[in-house]
Amino acid sequence: RQLRTQLSTAEAAQSATLEKLSSAEKRCAELGNERKALETQAHDLSQQLAAAELDQARTVEQLYAAHKECAALLELEQHIHEVTRCASASLQLDAGGAWPEPGTVATRRSPTRGRLPHA
């Protein structure tokens, strides 16, 4: 009778151990699935980061090109301003006026407008 009690106790302990083992196996499978999901997410994020870095590099290139274009336009604007000032001064001199002050543009009309002054 004592053996039956011990056997029953051992069977109950074995059953509890098997349940714990089954529960642990399920949890292990869940963790494996979570790991796979996290690996997939990490891979996706890595691809997104690479794409963002490429976009950033393109943006930097575009900003550099725009900066160069702005610098060229500013230089052209300064050149146009200087040519306009010189042409205006020349027209004013052709019309018998005085040399304009630096930084001003003469506006008096002249019959020689549009022609270069004679050297």
Side-chain angles (χ1 to χ4, degrees):
R1 179 174 173 159
Q2 186 179 2
L3 286 177
R4 281 189 180 178
T5 303
Q6 287 177 346
L7 179 61
S8 178
T9 302
E11 286 175 346
Q14 182 182 18
S15 177
T17 302
L18 287 174
E19 284 181 26
K20 288 180 183 178
L21 178 61
S22 176
S23 177
E25 287 174 341
K26 286 179 183 176
R27 182 66 182 138
C28 187
E30 289 171 0
L31 290 173
N33 290 337
E34 288 177 21
R35 188 193 91 226
K36 287 178 185 177
L38 289 173
E39 286 174 347
T40 300
Q41 185 180 11
H43 181 263
D44 292 346
L45 289 172
S46 176
Q47 287 182 327
Q48 290 175 12
L49 177 61
E53 288 172 344
L54 184 60
D55 286 346
Q56 182 184 23
R58 287 183 187 138
T59 301
V60 168
E61 288 175 5
Q62 290 171 350
L63 286 172
Y64 180 71
H67 176 73
K68 285 178 66 177
E69 187 175 340
C70 283
L73 288 172
L74 282 173
E75 188 176 317
L76 179 61
E77 180 183 27
Q78 289 173 349
H79 179 71
I80 289 171
H81 177 72
E82 184 63 23
V83 167
T84 302
R85 189 187 70 74
C86 289
S88 177
S90 176
L91 290 174
Q92 191 172 22
L93 285 176
D94 282 353
W99 191 264
E101 291 295 317
T104 64
V105 176
T107 58
R108 188 167 18 163
R109 301 255 180 217
S110 168
T112 59
R113 185 176 189 99
R115 291 187 300 184
L116 293 176
H118 298 290

